[in-house]
Amino acid sequence: MTDSPRPHPPHEDVAPESGLSASAPPEPASSTPAPPESPWRRFAHDYSRSKLAMSGLALLVAVLLAAAFAPLIAPQNPYDLAAIDLMDARLPPGEKSAMAGFTYLLGTDGQGRDMTSAILYGLRVSLSVGVASGVIALLIGASLGIFAAYRGGRFEQLLMRVVDVQLGFPAILVALILIATLGKGVDKIIVALVAVQWAYYARTARSAALVERGKEYIEAARGLGLASSRVVLRHLVPNTLAPLIVVATVQIAHAIALEATLSFLGLGLPTTEPSLGLLISNGFEFLLSGKYWISVYPGVALLITILSINLVGDQLRDVLNPRLAK
């Protein structure tokens, strides 16, 4: 008689070393993908790669803050004639004012104005004129260039011939003719600078829009029967902004330099609203007599302003157009 099979003993539950119950399944590894990097974070990362560009950005921010808060940090209001003492004219840096009681850190000019205060207020005027003319020229030139690229035809040909003629003349010559015709004043010099700059924006916007117009998403938008205004504003314009931003930074710096040149020649802003160029002009006649600070310090401020804008614009060009990255 064969023995019946012996029943197997029940398996004993062994508690895991971690102290968790054996019935609890192990936690699966997290397979959630990392969130995509935002465009702004990617832009900031690419821009911060250049230490020179970061230095230029820091300089530009310092210049903008100094110009914005000039009435708060300037020891004197150079527009207030009651606060100016002609006895303090052409004092060297570090001299004290006999009437006001403060120290002229950068000296005074020929009218007795504190050079530190005059430079801060001059920055406000130069930056305001440069930015205002740059923005207006951008709006006019970009609108004409994008419209010409989208519509084509005779309007595009006519616009490009006008742009070619405009760019064939030196900018300083065109500005001198317009200022001589219109006269002095902030509004007059802004008009002259806009007339000089709009052609650069028009050519850049047309070139960028022509490239985008031939792409499939524009053809798809047209095939869906979207209105031309919607195709241009919602699809074409956003994709042409990158080169326009780069050109805008360069042209704003160029507008500031051109305004300083006109003011230095006596054809820019009036003496009641001195810009950096006018401050340099006021001290030019005293350079050979040893009173260098009247022209040198406003010139250094103008150099720092233009240099910082150009450094930022150069890095923006590399970031917004990776094919030009170094």
Side-chain angles (χ1 to χ4, degrees), residues 97-317:
S97 171
M99 183 179 67
F102 60 85
T103 302
Y104 296 118
L105 296 178
L106 301 181
T108 60
D109 62 1
Q111 289 77 36
R113 295 178 297 191
D114 176 44
M115 288 303 302
T116 304
S117 305
I119 289 173
L120 292 175
Y121 277 83
L123 278 174
R124 289 168 61 92
V125 176
S126 296
L127 288 173
S128 300
V129 171
V131 172
S133 61
V135 171
I136 297 174
L138 170 63
L139 294 176
I140 296 175
S143 300
L144 292 175
I146 293 174
F147 181 77
Y150 186 78
R151 301 296 296 182
R154 294 183 178 179
F155 178 78
E156 180 186 11
Q157 297 177 1
L158 178 61
L159 179 65
M160 288 301 102
R161 299 296 78 77
V162 173
V163 168
D164 292 338
V165 173
Q166 168 78 39
L167 298 180
F169 291 94
I172 184 65
L173 178 61
V174 177
L176 284 173
I177 295 174
L178 291 175
I179 290 297
T181 304
L182 299 175
K184 292 184 179 181
V186 177
D187 54 343
K188 309 296 192 305
I189 197 168
I190 289 178
V191 170
L193 294 177
V194 169
V196 169
Q197 296 182 88
W198 74 270
Y200 295 96
Y201 294 105
R203 171 173 285 184
T204 303
R206 173 184 172 270
S207 301
L210 283 177
V211 174
E212 298 297 327
R213 190 186 67 175
K215 293 186 177 179
E216 295 180 354
Y217 72 93
I218 296 294
E219 297 296 334
R222 286 177 169 179
L224 291 175
L226 299 181
S228 298
S229 59
R230 184 175 181 181
V231 174
V232 172
L233 296 177
R234 296 289 300 274
H235 301 283
L236 196 58
V237 171
N239 289 285
T240 58
L241 287 180
L244 289 174
I245 292 174
V246 176
V247 173
T249 56
V250 176
Q251 288 303 312
I252 287 176
H254 181 249
I256 294 174
L258 186 57
E259 182 275 323
T261 303
L262 294 174
S263 297
F264 181 83
L265 296 175
L267 299 174
L269 299 175
T271 56
T272 56
E273 300 178 9
S275 64
L276 294 178
L278 188 58
L279 294 177
I280 297 173
S281 177
N282 290 338
F284 180 73
E285 58 180 322
F286 302 111
L287 280 177
L288 299 180
S289 62
K291 298 177 176 59
Y292 62 90
W293 59 87
I294 304 178
S295 288
V296 170
Y297 291 143
V300 171
L302 179 63
L303 174 63
I304 291 175
T305 302
I306 296 177
L307 178 62
S308 62
I309 296 176
N310 285 333
L311 289 176
V312 172
D314 184 69
Q315 184 66 6
L316 286 177
R317 180 196 62 186

